[in-house]
Amino acid sequence: MIPALLFILLFTFTARALHIRYSPALDFPKRAVLTTDKEITVDIPSGATGLAIGKLLFNAQVVKSSTAYFQLAVSDKRSEKVAPGSHRLTLKIPVTLALDQLLDPARIPNLIKITEGAWKSDITAALERYGFSKLQVSAAFDHVTLPTGFTQVEGLLFPAQYSFAKGASATQVVAEMIGRFQIDPNAKEILNYKGAYPPEEILTIASIVQAEADTKDFPKVARVIFNRLKIFMPLQMDSTVHYIKKVRGQIFLSTTSTLLKSPYNTYQRYGLPPSPIGNPGTLAMVAALHPATGDWLYFITLAPGDTRFTRSHDQFLSWKLIYEKNRRAGLFK
């Protein structure tokens, strides 16, 4: 006699095998040209399974059979990336094309895009464009649960593309961004960091790295920050002043700007700012966790794409003259 547990496992395996087998008769034929250009908006709820999505698409007359879409969803791992929210889809199309359209950002109305290095203020504006009021967004930031040891939402809003099911609240949207941060492997490493700095400070370093350099230089910039912190040297990072002033880009930093009174002004205060100065992406987090090996204390971008590193203050001053010449020549426009 087959043990009950083994019987259940065999039955489950057999059932899945039957579902995976694609049946062309259940699908619209694949054509080079669509038979219709009619479209419909389908709302995918959060947590919807492949079977549930298939039923929604069938009821909306997008696919010929919910089973056909489910068969595709089981066999194609891309189906796991279908975001909740509204999707604009063509009627009467093959399931493969339906999946392509579900994954096409251009077909997701009101998509919220958070770029690497975006500030909380940028994200606030994006949420207001999405349709939330200033009061709703402010309340969401105030009431959302932060990971242990973190004091600010800045830095925890993971850069990605977001789409939400109809009726989602601002608090749910912000929670989703923080939740996305908490499942990223590198963010998890920061959350569990046991080194010389607490996790929020490692994330702050990542946010400075994100704002200061091209991706290829991230590990070196991180090393400069750690080297300066080690010898109690002021960080003097332009990006921290830009954060105070809410300006971006290759912007000349005046002496007056370096005198601004703010805990984020690393020209006037030693150590790190009190919290991240933006929301860093994966590569910046990796750099903060695993900086390059080197004794550099200075870096400067002489021209776009040409950033140099040194321990010598004299060398830095020599490069700074070249930078000033290139800036006046308009290379940083």
Side-chain angles (χ1 to χ4, degrees), residues 13-14 34 58 62 80 99 105 117 127 147 162-163 173 181 198 205 227 232 235 238 251 255 273 287 315 323:
F13 176 80
T14 303
L34 295 176
F58 171 71
V62 173
E80 298 172 4
L99 179 57
L127 292 175
Y162 295 91
S163 178
V173 169
F181 173 88
I205 291 170
N227 287 346
F232 304 102
L235 294 183
D238 290 4
I251 299 167
T255 301
Q315 177 66 80
Y323 156 76

Side-chain angles (χ1 to χ4, degrees), residues 40-63 69 73 78-89 98-104 107-109 111 130 162-168 172 176:
I40 191 171
T41 298
V42 177
D43 192 63
I44 306 295
S46 181
T49 63
L51 182 59
I53 293 174
K55 289 180 178 178
L56 287 170
L57 298 183
F58 171 71
N59 291 335
Q61 299 182 32
V62 173
V63 299
Y69 179 84
R78 294 184 306 147
S79 64
E80 298 172 4
K81 298 180 180 180
V82 174
S86 299
H87 296 260
R88 183 168 48 82
L89 303 168
L99 179 57
D100 289 342
Q101 291 189 357
L102 284 169
L103 296 172
D104 184 356
R107 288 182 165 271
I108 304 177
L111 187 71
Y130 189 77
Y162 295 91
S163 178
F164 300 94
K166 189 180 298 182
Q172 288 173 318
E176 172 68 18

Side-chain angles (χ1 to χ4, degrees), residues 11-279:
F11 177 82
T12 302
F13 176 80
T14 303
R16 289 189 66 186
L18 288 172
H19 279 307
I20 290 173
R21 199 169 293 126
Y22 173 74
S23 304
L26 299 177
D27 198 3
F28 287 117
K30 298 178 175 62
R31 298 184 178 91
V33 180
L34 295 176
T35 58
T36 177
D37 58 358
K38 293 182 179 179
E39 295 183 335
I40 191 171
T41 298
V42 177
D43 192 63
I44 306 295
S46 181
T49 63
L51 182 59
I53 293 174
K55 289 180 178 178
L56 287 170
L57 298 183
F58 171 71
N59 291 335
Q61 299 182 32
V62 173
V63 299
K64 186 177 180 180
S65 161
S66 60
T67 301
Y69 179 84
F70 175 63
Q71 291 168 342
L72 175 67
V74 172
S75 61
D76 191 331
K77 287 189 175 295
R78 294 184 306 147
S79 64
E80 298 172 4
K81 298 180 180 180
V82 174
S86 299
H87 296 260
R88 183 168 48 82
L89 303 168
T90 306
L91 295 179
K92 298 183 179 181
I93 55 177
V95 292
T96 52
L97 181 54
L99 179 57
D100 289 342
Q101 291 189 357
L102 284 169
L103 296 172
D104 184 356
R107 288 182 165 271
I108 304 177
N110 300 320
L111 187 71
I112 300 176
K113 298 180 182 180
I114 307 302
T115 58
E116 288 87 352
W119 299 321
K120 176 187 170 185
S121 58
D122 297 325
I123 297 168
T124 296
L127 292 175
E128 289 174 7
R129 288 193 299 271
Y130 189 77
F132 296 116
S133 69
K134 289 181 182 293
L135 185 62
Q136 288 172 325
V137 175
S138 178
F141 285 133
D142 288 342
H143 297 135
V144 75
T145 301
L146 303 180
T148 303
F150 285 79
T151 60
Q152 301 288 334
V153 72
E154 188 82 275
L156 298 170
L157 304 168
F158 192 81
Q161 295 187 140
Y162 295 91
S163 178
F164 300 94
K166 189 180 298 182
S169 68
T171 300
Q172 288 173 318
V173 169
V174 173
E176 172 68 18
M177 294 176 181
I178 295 176
R180 179 67 182 79
F181 173 88
Q182 291 175 304
I183 64 172
D184 177 81
N186 298 294
K188 279 184 177 180
E189 191 173 346
I190 289 178
L191 291 171
N192 297 310
Y193 191 76
K194 303 298 183 184
Y197 300 91
E200 189 171 36
E201 290 190 355
I202 296 297
L203 189 60
T204 298
I205 291 170
S207 71
I208 296 173
V209 168
Q210 181 74 64
E212 284 284 343
D214 294 332
T215 54
K216 64 183 177 62
D217 295 317
F218 280 179
K220 288 186 175 182
V221 172
R223 175 51 63 193
V224 170
I225 294 171
F226 281 111
N227 287 346
R228 288 192 173 196
L229 290 172
K230 187 176 181 180
I231 63 173
F232 304 102
M233 178 180 177
L235 294 183
Q236 296 184 323
M237 296 288 166
D238 290 4
S239 58
T240 63
V241 179
H242 293 163
Y243 181 71
I244 301 166
K245 299 180 69 176
K246 289 294 181 280
V247 293
R248 291 191 185 280
Q250 297 286 353
I251 299 167
F252 174 71
L253 196 65
S254 66
T255 301
T256 302
S257 295
T258 66
L259 299 176
L260 289 171
K261 292 183 178 180
S262 169
Y264 289 88
N265 187 348
T266 55
Y267 279 86
Q268 294 295 310
R269 292 175 177 262
Y270 287 85
L272 290 164
S275 62
I277 63 166
N279 294 276

Side-chain angles (χ1 to χ4, degrees), residues 259-328:
L259 299 176
L260 289 171
K261 292 183 178 180
S262 169
Y264 289 88
N265 187 348
T266 55
Y267 279 86
Q268 294 295 310
R269 292 175 177 262
Y270 287 85
L272 290 164
S275 62
I277 63 166
N279 294 276
T282 296
L283 293 178
M285 286 191 275
V286 169
L289 288 163
H290 308 287
T293 301
D295 62 355
W296 316 291
L297 290 173
Y298 305 92
F299 67 93
I300 189 168
T301 300
L302 274 63
D306 182 10
T307 299
R308 301 186 188 183
F309 296 78
T310 182
R311 184 179 178 81
S312 166
H313 187 249
D314 289 340
Q315 177 66 80
F316 171 74
L317 292 178
S318 175
W319 284 342
K320 190 173 181 180
L321 293 175
I322 299 173
Y323 156 76
E324 294 284 2
K325 179 181 177 181
N326 289 341
R327 184 179 65 82
R328 288 192 296 269

